[in-house]
Amino acid sequence: CFFGISLMFIRIFIGVHVFLVSCALPESFIRRFVVRVMCSVLGMHVRQKNPRSRDKNTKLYICNHVTEFDHNIINLLTPCSTPQLDGSTGFVCWARGFMEIHAGSGAIGESLQSYCSAEGTTPLLLFPEEDTTNGRAGLLKFSSWPFSLTESIQPVALRVTRPLISLVNTPESSWLTELLWTFFVPWTVYHVSWLPTVSRQDGESTQEFANKVQELLAAELGLVATKITKADKAEHIKRTRRIVPQTTTSVTPGSIGLGFMSLGTDDRRIAKMAQQVKDVLPHVPLNVITKDLAKTNCVDTTITNLLENKEETSMEAAGISTFGPSKISSYSSGPASTLKPAAKTFGKSPTDRHLSLQERKEALYNFARR
């Protein structure tokens, strides 16, 4: 511990010089090389896979979000710009390497689209997950608005590892806390993988395009492409503040609730079971489903329990419906979705409920083909 604290203070001193050097040198290969070497001294090592696959003509990079410094790491490999869509502005925004946009919330999408179409501009780097995850359990649902800026994008897969420490970030931690934690640990390795450029097909909606890219990144990282949104994560964090952790069970709801902090096979299995229950009861919050699954370990039993406790389930659903959409999602032009039950009635037996689920899936499939 003493060694870690001493190392942290030394790296803070070196980090100030890294910041001054990055400000003094103009944007060039030499600047990126010097800053990358100095970042290695700070314990931030960057490794890239398939660097020749990087398309120099692309105008938009799409990357999964793991830490608050992902844009700085990618910028060490190639020049790119990441807009500051939420958070501090002014000096702090500039010092962290963000591009500040002077436009109203409704005009940000148009401003970024104009930026991508302009000649001589550096590519944009966007994170459609809209929030960070641990990068080891699953990807948040991709927002569709970044995929409306250009017709083709290049996916960038990012994986972050630390020796002897499995935790990369924690919910609600600030960027300053993550920076000090990075200086405290011996080193942090950022693995960057460049995937081939992907173009949107004719008749393909922006959300379908976003889902396709999410599947590609999930396959590259060996993760699950979930339907969990930034709002779901925020609601999960808000509710876990009021839930006392259970020590009598080996798998707790907080550890598998949204898959942000779990790694084990049991956690992934329960997350898959929770998604099956969510398909049948889409109006029930995921944290309520996983809480019951941690006790029952059975999809049919959980569905029965949720149907029998309709009053409690309705209160949970009402709590989520009052949680407003994220700021970034407001940039898209699509109408907000409403919470509706999957069907007016549910089968009393597991077989009937399974048939109901299959009918809903077939109906959705037939609707998607139209």
Side-chain angles (χ1 to χ4, degrees):
C1 182
F2 175 77
F3 172 77
I5 295 176
S6 302
L7 181 64
M8 181 179 65
F9 281 106
I10 294 175
R11 285 177 170 176
I12 291 176
F13 177 77
I14 300 176
V16 174
H17 292 77
V18 175
F19 174 74
L20 295 176
V21 169
S22 62
C23 295
L25 296 178
E27 172 58 41
S28 62
F29 171 79
I30 297 178
R31 174 184 178 273
R32 293 195 300 272
F33 177 77
V34 172
V35 174
R36 183 175 177 180
V37 172
M38 297 183 72
C39 286
S40 299
V41 179
L42 297 178
M44 304 172 68
H45 301 271
V46 185
R47 299 176 181 175
Q48 59 176 333
K49 178 183 177 182
N50 302 326
R52 295 183 179 180
S53 299
R54 178 162 51 87
D55 188 358
K56 297 182 180 179
N57 298 320
T58 188
K59 284 293 185 177
L60 180 60
Y61 297 132
I62 294 295
C63 183
N64 60 300
H65 209 359
V66 183
T67 71
E68 296 291 342
F69 309 103
D70 296 344
H71 64 288
N72 302 110
I73 297 301
I74 303 298
N75 205 13
L76 293 178
L77 304 176
T78 181
C80 58
S81 301
T82 302
Q84 175 70 300
L85 302 174
D86 190 12
S88 304
T89 58
F91 175 78
V92 177
C93 175
W94 171 80
R96 293 184 58 193
F98 285 109
M99 178 181 66
E100 189 172 0
I101 301 178
H102 301 281
S105 59
I108 289 183
E110 297 179 359
S111 177
L112 293 179
Q113 193 169 18
S114 300
Y115 177 89
C116 292
S117 59
E119 295 291 338
T121 57
T122 58
L124 279 179
L125 172 65
L126 298 178
F127 304 96
E129 288 181 287
E130 304 179 355
D131 207 345
T132 59
T133 67
N134 60 16
R136 298 173 300 171
L139 299 180
L140 295 178
K141 181 179 180 180
F142 279 15
S143 179
S144 61
W145 74 267
F147 298 88
S148 64
L149 302 180
T150 61
E151 293 297 324
S152 62
I153 60 96
Q154 180 161 25
V156 182
L158 178 63
R159 183 169 56 90
V160 183
T161 58
R162 282 175 176 157
L164 306 178
I165 300 177
S166 60
L167 189 63
V168 177
N169 58 33
T170 57
E172 300 182 283
S173 62
S174 64
W175 67 269
L176 186 58
T177 303
E178 287 195 20
L179 180 63
L180 295 178
W181 183 251
T182 302
F183 290 164
F184 179 81
V185 299
W187 64 82
T188 304
V189 183
Y190 295 83
H191 305 266
V192 180
S193 179
W194 301 93
L195 277 66
T197 303
V198 181
S199 300
R200 183 166 61 175
Q201 303 297 326
D202 295 336
E204 189 176 35
S205 66
T206 54
Q207 187 59 62
E208 292 174 342
F209 189 28
N211 295 340
K212 181 173 66 176
V213 176
Q214 182 191 24
E215 293 286 348
L216 291 175
L217 285 175
E220 176 67 21
L221 296 169
L223 305 179
V224 178
T226 71
K227 298 180 181 179
I228 302 170
T229 64
K230 175 186 177 182
D232 292 330
K233 177 185 175 182
E235 181 67 20
H236 171 74
I237 294 174
K238 183 175 66 174
R239 292 183 180 277
T240 51
R241 297 188 193 134
R242 304 192 297 266
I243 298 177
V244 179
Q246 299 180 4
T247 59
T248 58
T249 57
S250 59
V251 181
T252 60
S255 65
I256 50 87
L258 293 177
F260 302 120
M261 310 172 195
S262 58
L263 275 182
T265 304
D266 291 340
D267 297 344
R268 295 192 179 186
R269 179 177 55 81
I270 293 184
K272 184 180 294 185
M273 294 166 61
Q275 190 60 52
Q276 294 176 358
V277 178
K278 187 71 174 177
D279 291 338
V280 179
L281 304 174
H283 62 288
V284 181
L286 277 170
N287 65 307
V288 177
I289 297 174
T290 52
K291 181 180 179 180
D292 194 85
L293 281 173
K295 301 176 182 178
T296 63
N297 199 29
C298 177
V299 173
D300 294 325
T301 305
T302 294
I303 293 176
T304 303
N305 293 341
L306 295 177
L307 291 177
E308 291 177 352
N309 301 326
K310 292 182 179 180
E311 183 178 354
E312 179 183 354
T313 303
S314 301
M315 293 175 62
E316 297 286 352
I320 281 189
S321 62
T322 58
F323 187 85
S326 63
K327 180 178 179 181
I328 301 179
S329 298
S330 63
Y331 303 143
S332 61
S333 58
S337 61
T338 57
L339 294 174
K340 296 182 179 179
K344 295 182 179 180
T345 60
F346 298 93
K348 296 182 179 180
S349 66
T351 303
D352 294 339
R353 285 193 293 269
H354 179 72
L355 292 175
S356 177
L357 174 60
Q358 294 299 326
E359 291 173 357
R360 291 185 65 249
K361 289 184 176 180
E362 291 178 2
L364 291 174
Y365 176 76
N366 294 331
F367 177 78
R369 295 184 59 185
R370 295 178 181 176

